[in-house]
Amino acid sequence: MLLSSNLRKQVKLSFTSKTKIVFNETTEFSVFVSTKDNFNYTLHIDDVEGNIRDLKITPLNGLQNLPCDEDNGTYKTNAAELQYPFQFLIECDVEYKIVTPSTWSTEFGTCSDCLKFLNIFECLEGKIPFANYEFYKLQWFIKKVEEDFVEFTIKNPHQIQINGQKGDFNVISNVHQDLQLELFIVYDPKVIEMLNKNSENASKAEISTVSLSEPTVSTTDSVPKENPILETPLQKPIVNNTITFEDEQCHAEKNAKINDSVVDENVSNDQHVPSIVSPKVPEKQLNEITSENDKQKDASKPPTKSQNMAEATSFKTGDYVILISSDGKQIFSSASLLTRNSYIFATILKNIKKSPVKINVEEFHSDIIYSALDFLNGKNDAIHGKEIELYHFADKFSLRDLKKICCNKFDELLSLENVCKIIQIAYENYFEELKLKCIEMIRLNAEKIGESEIKTLPTEIYAEIFI
């Protein structure tokens, strides 16, 4: 379907060569810069492809569109503006593909004993039958990446949406608890039906031919050529299928039923409880966090093989964590609840050898932390009225399901009081429709919102609103 659309790109122009600006496969043009006095410059548009109408060029350090000489199609700028990127806004016809998505849900589970059985760099593998399709199946792996943690992966070469995520689906899980997952899937039935027509096409999604009813253990260690795959009579993972026709948001708001609970905060302060400050370092450095007591105790011991891989710990289902909020409250949660839902918490806690552990979550009030934990325990209405704050909590600690359900609420929650906060979230996550809705609201209600509030917006957002 051919529809008129406004497309935009931000590009830093070259002084010495043509700069190609590509909007999509069929729409692009080039810009080259000329000058006579090294201060006043002219932008020339060349190599135009596609039906481009109404081109507007705006420097990001200014608020006005560049003046256009309609006789020769050039634009006037200067050396100061050329130090910054320009925004190119065009109107053109874009070919859209009409998609009617379908939804499907299933449950996946395997027992803790199977996960403990694996050695480091061994894996389980199998296939999940997909809805009612005969040939198309999803290939999964459970990989032992550390002593006490496994990584569950579903290969997803055809970009179906699994729990709000496109591409390969990955979850980190502790081996001391059963792996139980609810999978909510959104897909294009036309694509899957085409792949399902014969087993050769469908097999591209499977990678191997191992049956779900016969899980195997594959290892990277050397084995004799006559026995390349070790087979063990492990308990097979459970996959229960349920076909539904609810919309994506309904699925996003469902959670697995978890029995973990938040303990009362009124507990004595134990001086032997390890304490961790909420991380302010890049995620890749989180695996360096460990308790000082354990460092001193293990300093004189030679490292074992498993310690060289990661100083993984044995957090059990009964172990718990104390989260310290910005208002000083101690909030108790089971360690398994946090590690099951957050890769960040799993990374923080993997080096701690005793329970409980204190973590300073000093950016967030206790009400927000309580609501986040309630949501993880299956209380979906716990987020009501706190969606923006919970979004930032979920974003910081990689709580994917909580982050998604908060994002799904922003469109209906948008108001003059929160539009300056929500537009920043829209830009961070490339929510184009929400972004345009926010821009329109700010433009029409700038006086009501207030100049001081609008000026808190980042420069690039402010520039795009007031073109």
Side-chain angles (χ1 to χ4, degrees):
M1 178 182 292
L2 200 63
L3 299 174
S4 178
S5 303
N6 291 318
L7 306 181
R8 68 189 71 217
K9 283 285 184 179
Q10 292 184 2
V11 179
K12 181 76 165 60
L13 297 177
S14 169
F15 282 86
T16 59
S17 61
K18 284 186 178 181
T19 302
K20 180 179 286 189
I21 301 175
V22 180
F23 294 89
N24 57 35
E25 294 179 354
T26 60
T27 307
E28 64 180 57
F29 56 79
S30 298
V31 180
F32 68 93
V33 179
S34 66
T35 183
K36 295 181 179 179
D37 56 11
N38 291 324
F39 180 79
N40 294 297
Y41 285 81
T42 302
L43 305 185
H44 303 264
I45 309 301
D46 199 5
D47 305 326
V48 178
E49 294 185 15
N51 183 20
I52 296 175
R53 304 183 297 274
D54 194 21
L55 170 61
K56 295 179 181 178
I57 306 176
T58 309
L60 289 190
N61 68 331
L63 300 178
Q64 301 296 324
N65 296 332
L66 296 183
C68 176
D69 185 340
E70 296 182 359
D71 292 335
N72 53 27
T74 59
Y75 294 80
K76 301 298 182 182
T77 185
N78 57 58
E81 292 175 336
L82 281 168
Q83 301 302 315
Y84 296 88
F86 285 82
Q87 176 178 267
F88 294 83
L89 175 65
I90 65 169
E91 181 183 348
C92 65
D93 295 329
V94 178
E95 185 68 34
Y96 286 85
K97 175 186 176 183
I98 298 176
V99 176
T100 305
S102 295
T103 60
W104 175 69
S105 67
T106 187
E107 295 179 356
F108 180 94
T110 190
C111 67
S112 173
D113 289 337
C114 292
L115 305 182
K116 293 177 183 177
F117 177 83
L118 296 174
N119 295 319
I120 291 179
F121 298 140
E122 291 181 344
C123 73
L124 303 173
E125 59 180 348
K127 295 179 288 188
I128 300 176
F130 191 86
N132 291 324
Y133 297 101
E134 180 180 2
F135 298 114
Y136 190 82
K137 297 177 176 63
L138 297 175
Q139 183 73 29
W140 59 263
F141 297 90
I142 299 176
K143 299 169 285 187
K144 188 69 168 288
V145 293
E146 298 178 16
E147 187 64 32
D148 290 322
F149 291 92
V150 295
E151 181 179 3
F152 174 68
T153 300
I154 299 177
K155 303 300 291 184
N156 183 15
H158 300 118
Q159 296 297 302
I160 64 176
Q161 183 174 287
I162 305 175
N163 287 11
Q165 173 182 328
K166 290 189 176 181
D168 291 351
F169 177 78
N170 295 284
V171 171
I172 301 293
S173 179
N174 194 303
V175 300
H176 298 284
Q177 61 195 31
D178 294 345
L179 176 60
Q180 300 289 340
L181 293 171
E182 286 188 79
L183 303 174
F184 304 106
I185 296 173
V186 183
Y187 64 98
D188 185 348
K190 294 181 180 178
V191 173
I192 303 302
E193 286 168 6
M194 181 181 64
L195 295 167
N196 187 63
K197 287 182 180 179
N198 61 71
S199 57
E200 291 183 4
N201 285 338
S203 65
K204 294 178 182 179
E206 298 175 9
I207 299 177
S208 73
T209 58
V210 181
S211 170
L212 180 62
S213 61
E214 298 177 353
T216 64
V217 180
S218 301
T219 175
T220 58
D221 296 337
S222 298
V223 294
K225 291 184 179 179
E226 61 272 19
N227 185 25
I229 298 181
L230 302 178
E231 296 190 358
T232 64
L234 297 177
Q235 174 183 336
K236 62 184 180 182
I238 301 169
V239 179
N240 297 322
N241 298 336
T242 57
I243 300 176
T244 64
F245 299 92
E246 302 171 273
D247 61 24
E248 178 182 351
Q249 182 172 348
C250 291
H251 287 310
E253 293 177 358
K254 292 183 180 179
N255 270 344
K257 295 181 180 178
I258 303 170
N259 293 324
D260 300 315
S261 60
V262 179
V263 185
D264 195 307
E265 64 181 19
N266 296 319
V267 64
S268 60
N269 193 9
D270 188 346
Q271 63 179 348
H272 299 295
V273 176
S275 180
I276 300 175
V277 177
S278 177
K280 295 182 179 179
V281 295
E283 182 175 327
K284 65 181 181 180
Q285 296 179 9
L286 290 175
N287 60 352
E288 298 172 5
I289 300 174
T290 185
S291 66
E292 290 299 323
N293 290 339
D294 293 329
K295 283 184 178 180
Q296 296 172 4
K297 183 170 64 176
D298 296 337
S300 60
K301 297 180 182 179
T304 64
K305 179 180 178 181
S306 61
Q307 285 173 329
N308 285 333
M309 290 303 305
E311 297 176 3
T313 62
S314 301
F315 264 87
K316 301 179 178 63
T317 304
D319 291 336
Y320 61 96
V321 173
I322 304 172
L323 302 175
I324 303 177
S325 64
S326 61
D327 53 329
K329 290 187 178 180
Q330 297 188 39
I331 302 168
F332 283 65
S333 173
S334 69
S336 62
L337 178 66
L338 298 177
T339 57
R340 180 165 57 244
N341 289 280
S342 167
Y343 174 77
I344 302 296
F345 279 119
T347 306
I348 294 173
L349 295 174
K350 73 177 182 180
N351 294 319
I352 307 303
K353 301 184 182 298
K354 53 186 173 182
S355 173
V357 177
K358 283 185 178 180
I359 301 179
N360 288 325
V361 190
E362 55 192 12
E363 303 95 327
F364 300 97
H365 194 272
S366 57
D367 288 345
I368 302 304
I369 301 173
Y370 276 126
S371 296
L373 295 176
D374 284 343
F375 174 84
L376 296 181
N377 278 302
K379 300 177 182 178
N380 292 341
D381 59 350
I383 72 169
H384 182 67
K386 305 170 186 174
E387 289 84 355
I388 295 177
E389 293 81 0
L390 285 169
Y391 165 84
H392 292 296
F393 183 84
D395 186 54
K396 182 174 182 64
F397 292 105
S398 190
L399 299 166
R400 185 180 62 229
D401 291 341
L402 176 57
K403 181 177 177 179
K404 178 176 180 179
I405 196 171
C406 289
C407 290
N408 287 341
K409 298 286 186 180
F410 289 146
D411 189 72
E412 61 188 72
L413 293 174
L414 188 62
S415 68
L416 298 182
E417 288 73 26
N418 61 29
V419 64
C420 288
K421 295 179 180 178
I422 291 180
I423 192 173
Q424 296 180 62
I425 296 173
Y427 271 80
E428 290 172 2
N429 294 275
Y430 303 100
F431 297 151
E432 292 300 322
E433 289 186 7
L434 180 59
K435 183 174 71 174
L436 294 175
K437 190 173 181 179
C438 291
I439 290 174
E440 182 179 7
M441 179 177 287
I442 294 173
R443 285 175 176 171
L444 296 176
N445 301 278
E447 292 184 2
K448 294 181 181 179
I449 296 171
E451 183 179 358
S452 59
E453 182 72 14
I454 294 176
K455 284 189 175 180
T456 62
L457 293 172
T459 304
E460 61 274 14
I461 299 179
Y462 185 91
E464 186 164 348
I465 293 173
F466 299 102
I467 297 176

